Amino acid sequence: MTPSEKTYTPIYASLKDCCLSSALKELKEGAVQARASFVFPETFSAFAGHFPDHSVLPAVVQLTTVRHISEQALGFALQLRAYGRIKFSGAILPGEEVEIEVRLTPEEELYHGEFTVKKEGKSVSNGSCDFSKS
């Protein structure tokens, strides 16, 4: 099969297939806390071409997953405004289970979030995010 014959599933659309579980907790004054567990199989399209001999989940996919969880928690599409203070401190390999937690607080026309991505209970990335309603 040549590259032009391959069928690709958009990464954002395939996130739901990688999600094992999710939970939502409503907090005070419209804030929410969302948590979800994911496993990205070796066949996940984001691994293709990203360190071909040693597949690692790209950082942009971790950030996209934060947006995905945020949209699921709030119940509507979000537009990214900013990510900040991001620290990547570990790699996510195919087949590893990760837990992603985001706490979202409404602030005027934005939702401000703080997120953590953990593997085996240890942070592999964390930071802040700002979204607006799409």
Side-chain angles (χ1 to χ4, degrees):
M1 182 178 288
T2 67
S4 63
E5 294 174 322
K6 288 184 180 180
T7 302
Y8 293 98
T9 301
I11 290 171
Y12 194 82
S14 63
L15 290 177
K16 67 181 182 312
D17 297 331
C18 299
C19 186
L20 301 176
S21 66
S22 62
L24 174 65
K25 181 179 178 182
E26 293 187 29
L27 306 172
K28 295 179 181 178
E29 301 175 8
V32 296
Q33 181 174 323
R35 178 177 296 166
S37 295
F38 287 82
V39 171
F40 299 96
E42 193 169 328
T43 57
F44 186 65
S45 60
F47 289 123
H50 196 69
F51 301 109
D53 294 331
H54 184 70
S55 296
V56 175
L57 189 71
V60 69
V61 175
Q62 293 180 48
L63 299 178
T64 300
T65 306
V66 168
R67 188 180 112 218
H68 174 75
I69 293 169
S70 299
E71 289 179 338
Q72 299 303 307
L74 295 172
F76 48 81
L78 295 170
Q79 177 69 40
L80 173 64
R81 294 297 172 204
Y83 282 112
R85 300 185 340 265
I86 299 172
K87 179 178 179 182
F88 294 100
S89 54
I92 299 170
L93 306 177
E96 293 183 323
E97 185 171 343
V98 294
E99 182 175 270
I100 302 171
E101 184 175 312
V102 62
R103 180 185 176 121
L104 298 161
T105 306
E107 295 180 358
E108 297 178 17
E109 294 183 19
L110 292 176
Y111 287 88
H112 176 73
E114 298 290 330
F115 69 89
T116 304
V117 179
K118 292 181 181 180
K119 179 175 75 173
E120 298 177 354
K122 296 181 182 178
S123 177
V124 292
S125 65
N126 59 65
S128 65
C129 51
D130 290 316
F131 299 109
S132 62
K133 204 170 184 177
S134 214

